[in-house]
Amino acid sequence: MKSISLILLGCGGVGRQLIHNIISCRPLHAKQGVRLRVVGVADSESLLVSSDVLTMEFDDHLLSEICRIKLNGSSLPTLATSGSCQVFSSSESTKKIVDIAGHLVRSTGLAVLDCSASSDTIERPLTSSMEDYDKLVSHPRRLRHESTVGAGLPVIVSINRLLSSGDSICLIVGSLSGTLGYVMSEVEDGKPFSQVVKTAKILGYTEPDPRDDLGGMDVARKALILARLLGHRINLESIKVESLYPKEMGPKAMSVEEFLANGLSLLDDNIEQRVRKAASNGNVLRYVCVIEGSRCEVGIQELPKNSPLGRLSGSDNVLEIYSRCYKEQPLVIQGAGAGNDTTAAGVLADVLDIQDLFSS
Ligand SMILES: NC(=O)c1ccc[n+]([C@@H]2O[C@H](COP(=O)([O-])OP(=O)(O)OC[C@H]3O[C@@H](n4cnc5c(N)ncnc54)[C@H](OP(=O)(O)O)[C@@H]3O)[C@@H](O)[C@H]2O)c1
Ligand SMILES: *[C@@H]1O[C@H](CO)[C@@H](O)[C@H](O)[C@H]1NC(C)=O
Ligand SMILES: *[C@@H]1O[C@H](CO)[C@@H](O)[C@H](O)[C@H]1NC(C)=O
């Protein structure tokens, strides 16, 4: 049986789901001759590691306890009383993880799963400077990040398969924000933009401050990850991003409450006019990223109503990829682009995919 040792960073919605999935997949993985050994779990405050990472792993009871206490608001150190694990503060945790990696690299290897919502590892892995990016991808198979674009949707893997078979990708158009996908498909029916955004907020589709979605930076970061995957050596600053609210309504100028109460409805007319103009051409508006040649843009585009992106309704992500092999009709990837379960599944599949890098 091959063992893959893991340290999990972050035990929020995604991290806890991942722990559940690791436990429930044990019989399946055993059939494949693989065993996942969790030797450490971290949250924003502490790192819990097994007392001897070489010989001891967290058993399923402890893993379930971690999920339970994180859910009820207790801290990880509550579980360190048994002597089978040690606790480190977050300031010590990076050094400790590097130590453990050093120990395990000579025996079995170590996978570090970053399911945190934090820029503490490095500022925005994959979307910061090219220098950081080059370091991260210098061992291409060792860095896996399927869940960074479209959550668990097989976006990165599909693009990599096209690239490695020599197909040339000429255009990617993608609706990569569930929130903006929902908003743009709802305004198509004539509902006011402000009302749709408020409904999206009630449905839990938006960030607490909807401007975090409407500003487009989240889509821009995903676009950057895709553009870099295609070999474009660009930075976030070189992406043209259309924000759906003006600077005068930004977080520095007004509170969320003020924006929702007074700002948002001032944007209705402009969107309504654009929706009508698009409709007169048989088109609809979608908030998408467009990556074509060296051009990478994020914003509202008019697209044919009768296209995969035009047919989008609800909060799905949709990606159209045009290449030599998919010239007339694009390769289309569509499905839920968020959710704890699909995101955790993307991470787990990445781990299983690199099992050959681990020695038995
Ligand atoms: N949920 C989704 O649908 C989805 C989809 C795609 C991508 N993602 C990405 O997946 C990541 C996790 O999302 P989530 O929904 O699980 O977030 P979450 O529920 O907010 O959980 C984040 C976890 O990260 C931990 N954390 C924060 N700083 C840390 C640090 N320095 N070291 C280790 N752990 C740290 C937090 O610790 P505390 O418990 O102490 O606060 C928490 O356990 C995020 O980057 C998110 O953007 C999520
Ligand atoms: C994801 O997990 C978080 C934290 O446990 C929870 O609040 C949220 O409802 C979950 N989301 C979904 C879609 O299940
Ligand atoms: C959470 O569970 C732990 C362990 O059973 C318990 O000691 C603690 O009081 C609980 N905390 C809360 C906030 O419910």
Side-chain angles (χ1 to χ4, degrees):
M1 188 81 88
K2 172 177 293 206
S3 293
I4 303 180
S5 301
L6 309 172
I7 290 183
L8 172 63
L9 308 182
C11 37
V14 175
R16 289 197 299 267
Q17 186 65 49
L18 182 59
I19 291 177
H20 284 303
N21 295 2
I22 287 173
I23 295 172
S24 65
C25 284
R26 293 237 186 259
L28 175 75
H29 292 159
K31 265 191 215 158
Q32 300 172 358
V34 181
R35 174 166 179 84
L36 304 193
R37 313 175 61 232
V38 181
V39 297
V41 173
D43 64 11
S44 66
E45 281 162 6
S46 36
L47 166 70
L48 203 61
V49 285
S50 135
S51 312
D52 180 355
V53 292
L54 279 176
T55 58
M56 281 161 65
E57 61 178 270
F58 290 178
D59 62 23
D60 289 352
H61 175 70
L62 179 57
L63 290 173
S64 303
E65 279 292 288
I66 288 172
C67 294
R68 197 178 62 77
I69 64 132
K70 282 303 294 180
L71 199 56
N72 89 351
S74 304
S75 65
L76 289 178
T78 343
L79 294 170
T81 48
S82 66
S84 61
C85 44
Q86 296 173 285
V87 187
F88 298 88
S89 69
S90 63
S91 60
E92 305 166 298
S93 67
T94 307
K95 184 180 174 301
K96 184 64 195 172
I97 291 168
V98 172
D99 277 357
I100 295 172
H103 273 301
L104 289 172
V105 78
R106 269 167 266 128
S107 52
T108 60
L110 175 70
V112 178
L113 314 185
D114 186 350
C115 297
S116 72
S118 152
S119 52
D120 289 358
T121 43
I122 57 170
E123 183 84 19
R124 306 267 181 202
L126 300 172
T127 60
S128 57
S129 68
M130 271 315 293
E131 194 191 345
D132 283 341
Y133 183 80
D134 286 340
K135 279 186 210 154
L136 281 168
V137 301
S138 61
H139 301 284
R141 287 210 55 223
R142 295 185 184 206
L143 173 80
R144 307 294 299 223
H145 58 93
E146 187 57 74
S147 295
T148 56
V149 180
L153 293 177
V155 171
I156 311 284
V157 71
S158 302
I159 292 174
N160 272 334
R161 283 180 67 88
L162 297 181
L163 293 176
S164 63
S165 62
D167 193 359
S168 49
I169 295 174
C170 43
L171 171 65
I172 295 180
V173 190
S175 177
L176 298 175
S177 156
T179 316
L180 295 175
Y182 172 82
V183 168
M184 297 316 292
S185 65
E186 289 287 299
V187 294
E188 188 185 318
D189 304 329
K191 291 186 196 119
F193 179 69
S194 56
Q195 188 196 316
V196 172
V197 172
K198 284 176 192 161
T199 309
K201 184 169 160 60
I202 291 165
L203 290 173
Y205 289 168
T206 70
E207 295 294 324
D209 184 345
R211 286 171 295 188
D212 290 343
D213 301 291
L214 299 176
M217 287 318 288
D218 176 57
V219 178
R221 274 189 215 98
K222 291 169 179 168
L224 180 59
I225 291 173
L226 296 183
R228 285 178 168 179
L229 196 62
L230 299 187
H232 303 313
R233 298 182 62 80
I234 59 170
N235 291 320
L236 200 56
E237 298 75 52
S238 34
I239 298 180
K240 208 172 115 195
V241 184
E242 177 185 354
S243 170
L244 296 187
Y245 66 87
K247 258 208 196 76
E248 307 85 77
M249 294 185 194
K252 281 188 189 129
M254 57 175 75
S255 66
V256 195
E257 294 73 27
E258 208 180 336
F259 174 70
L260 290 170
N262 307 319
L264 196 52
S265 57
L266 299 176
L267 306 172
D268 287 351
D269 282 351
N270 175 262
I271 297 278
E272 194 193 324
Q273 275 167 29
R274 288 172 78 175
V275 168
R276 276 222 214 97
K277 182 170 162 287
S280 69
N281 300 327
N283 292 335
V284 293
L285 300 182
R286 292 291 178 258
Y287 193 96
V288 290
C289 71
V290 178
I291 305 165
E292 185 173 31
S294 59
R295 181 169 76 105
C296 183
E297 287 179 16
V298 169
I300 292 182
Q301 298 274 336
E302 260 191 41
L303 297 166
K305 195 173 169 53
N306 185 28
S307 67
L309 275 160
R311 284 190 293 270
L312 168 65
S313 74
S315 63
D316 270 3
N317 282 11
V318 176
L319 205 76
E320 297 180 3
I321 302 172
Y322 295 85
S323 69
R324 192 187 77 234
C325 297
Y326 299 93
K327 204 181 321 184
E328 309 302 336
Q329 294 298 323
L331 171 65
V332 179
I333 301 167
Q334 169 164 14
N340 300 326
D341 204 0
T342 79
T343 308
V347 176
L348 188 52
D350 272 350
V351 173
L352 269 289
D353 245 13
I354 54 167
Q355 55 181 282
D356 59 296
L357 296 175
F358 292 80
S359 51
S360 306

